[in-house]
Amino acid sequence: MLFALAGAVAVANVYFAQPLLATLSADFGISEGAVGAIVTLTQIGYGLGLFFIVPLGDLLDRKRLILVQLVLLALALTVVGVSGTASVLLIGMSLMGFLAVVTQSLVVFAASLAGPAQRGRVVGLVTSGVVIGILLARTASGLLADLASWRAVYLASAALTLVLTLALHHELPHRTTPRPDLDYGRLLASTVSLFTRERVFRDRALLALLVFAAFSTLWSCVALPLSEPPQSLTHTAIGAFGLVGAAGALAAAPAGRLHDRGFAQRTTGTALALLVASWLPLAFTRESLWALAVGAIVLDLAVQAVHVTNQSLIYGLRPDAGGRLIGGYMVFYSIGSATGALASTTVYAAAGWGAVCVLGAAISAAALVLWAATRHRARA
């Protein structure tokens, strides 16, 4: 539970801005077409952290690495909360994303403490917490922004991060696995070599890129049509759809158990088909909030089922290189999220919500095609 809670709080920081985009655009003079860059830069920072920080868990004591990341994350959140110009805001967001990868360090740590027969279930349970953090981030940020200001969102998160740092310092065990005979440069190089050698790693990483591009296409852009007529919703109301999407967390633990039972491929195929279908109700978001709720639930269930299955499969390839495998995999997650955020807000500014839904459906269909073409390579 502590792993899940800490992961939820850390990853939430990456998503706080999504229901606040209209307000940040007005406060900092950023155009509607360019405001997606706030989310994109955060995701770029996250991607860099995945490559440069998460693999360190295979080399250093994971407890110490996690604690240092959390303290620095609290500092970056403070920079965002007190930023007075767009440039300081963007720098702070990038640093925050870079350090928020402590979430994945926690996932790898949990997986390393679990036996092979329970690994999918454990990863699924921790990922459930992470999913809840991702989706409730919108609810929390929208509510706090309406009650106080958008700055209160980041300053409150900085304080909570420091509290969790103390709890983790008290509870986490120190390193339990042998240290590999690698320096930092060779450690990073081995992440690339794992990608070239392991086909399942490559296939699942590319699948993550597409799945999270679809995920980000919805959640990075939906605040824009919801804040405009005919809906004209408040920050709190927009953020409340995170409560609906949090149903996606329900898919994480069952997907992990299905992996443990050998049904990874069936789970992936079914989830991707649902991902494609989710964009039909989402297309009616302007006309019906119920349509948005149904589409968001289906989309989030599908994305998280694929995500947990992916992580369980690739960690099983080389448990001794779990940090490098999960970090490398999540780089593609971050690339997909950043691409979806920028593409969706750009398409929305040019052609409206209908075109965004077409974009999301096309990305989802591409993921389904990729899975169908590569499923015979998987080991489960």
Side-chain angles (χ1 to χ4, degrees):
M1 292 301 296
L2 184 57
F3 276 115
L5 177 61
V9 171
V11 78
N13 297 301
V14 180
Y15 298 91
F16 280 148
Q18 291 181 354
L20 309 177
L21 289 180
T23 298
L24 293 172
S25 174
D27 280 4
F28 289 94
I30 304 172
S31 70
E32 188 176 80
V35 72
I38 293 173
V39 178
T40 298
L41 284 174
T42 305
Q43 291 293 345
I44 289 173
Y46 198 81
L48 292 172
L50 290 167
F51 184 78
F52 289 104
I53 296 179
V54 177
L56 278 171
D58 293 338
L59 190 62
L60 305 177
D61 181 88
R62 286 196 172 102
K63 176 177 180 176
R64 292 176 181 172
L65 178 64
I66 287 169
L67 295 178
V68 170
Q69 283 180 259
L70 285 170
V71 171
L72 294 176
L73 175 60
L75 291 174
L77 286 164
T78 303
V79 170
V80 172
V82 300
S83 58
T85 65
S87 58
V88 173
L89 174 72
L90 295 175
I91 290 170
M93 288 287 188
S94 300
L95 291 172
M96 182 188 68
F98 183 71
L99 294 161
V101 296
V102 67
T103 298
Q104 297 309 315
S105 297
L106 288 162
V107 172
V108 176
F109 202 171
S112 71
L113 297 173
Q118 295 83 36
R119 186 167 293 131
R121 180 179 64 85
V122 170
V123 171
L125 288 171
V126 178
T127 302
S128 293
V130 174
V131 175
I132 290 171
I134 291 173
L135 295 168
L136 295 191
R138 303 174 181 87
T139 305
S141 65
L143 180 61
L144 268 177
D146 280 339
L147 292 176
S149 71
W150 68 264
R151 297 180 187 278
V153 175
Y154 294 96
L155 295 176
S157 183
L160 182 56
T161 298
L162 291 176
V163 171
L164 276 170
T165 302
L166 293 175
L168 289 166
H169 175 71
H170 184 264
E171 295 293 339
L172 292 186
H174 284 283
R175 185 178 189 89
T176 58
T177 55
R179 173 175 172 162
D181 186 22
L182 293 172
D183 58 28
Y184 183 57
R186 290 168 60 200
L187 184 79
L188 296 181
S190 70
T191 302
V192 178
S193 64
L194 284 168
F195 183 80
T196 60
R197 292 199 308 266
E198 297 286 353
R199 284 187 173 183
V200 174
F201 182 21
R202 291 200 302 273
D203 295 341
R204 290 286 163 164
L206 293 173
L207 197 59
L209 187 153
L210 293 170
V211 164
F212 281 98
F215 180 86
S216 188
T217 293
L218 171 64
W219 290 112
S220 295
C221 185
V222 73
L224 298 177
L226 290 180
S227 63
E228 298 172 353
Q231 304 294 354
S232 301
L233 300 183
T234 64
H235 291 126
T236 301
I238 293 171
F241 278 95
L243 293 171
V244 175
L250 299 176
R257 289 194 292 269
L258 287 170
H259 165 270
D260 292 339
R261 295 171 58 189
F263 297 122
Q265 288 301 321
R266 294 181 189 179
T267 302
T268 304
T270 301
L272 289 172
L274 289 172
L275 183 62
V276 175
S278 69
W279 289 99
L280 181 58
L282 288 172
F284 296 94
T285 291
R286 283 189 176 277
E287 291 75 29
S288 170
L289 294 180
W290 284 108
L292 171 60
V294 170
I297 289 172
V298 174
L299 182 142
D300 289 336
L301 283 169
V303 168
Q304 299 311 322
V306 175
H307 184 43
V308 171
T309 303
N310 285 351
Q311 290 184 100
S312 299
L313 280 173
I314 66 171
Y315 188 90
L317 297 172
R318 286 277 306 277
D320 62 303
R324 283 161 282 171
L325 286 167
I326 297 296
Y329 163 81
M330 291 297 294
V331 167
F332 287 82
Y333 154 99
S334 190
I335 292 171
S337 295
T339 302
L342 188 58
S344 62
T345 52
T346 301
V347 168
Y348 181 81
W353 180 248
V356 171
C357 291
V358 171
L359 172 66
I363 294 170
S364 303
L368 181 60
V369 170
L370 174 64
W371 168 78
T374 61
R375 67 183 186 276
H376 66 281
R377 301 177 185 173
R379 299 178 183 177

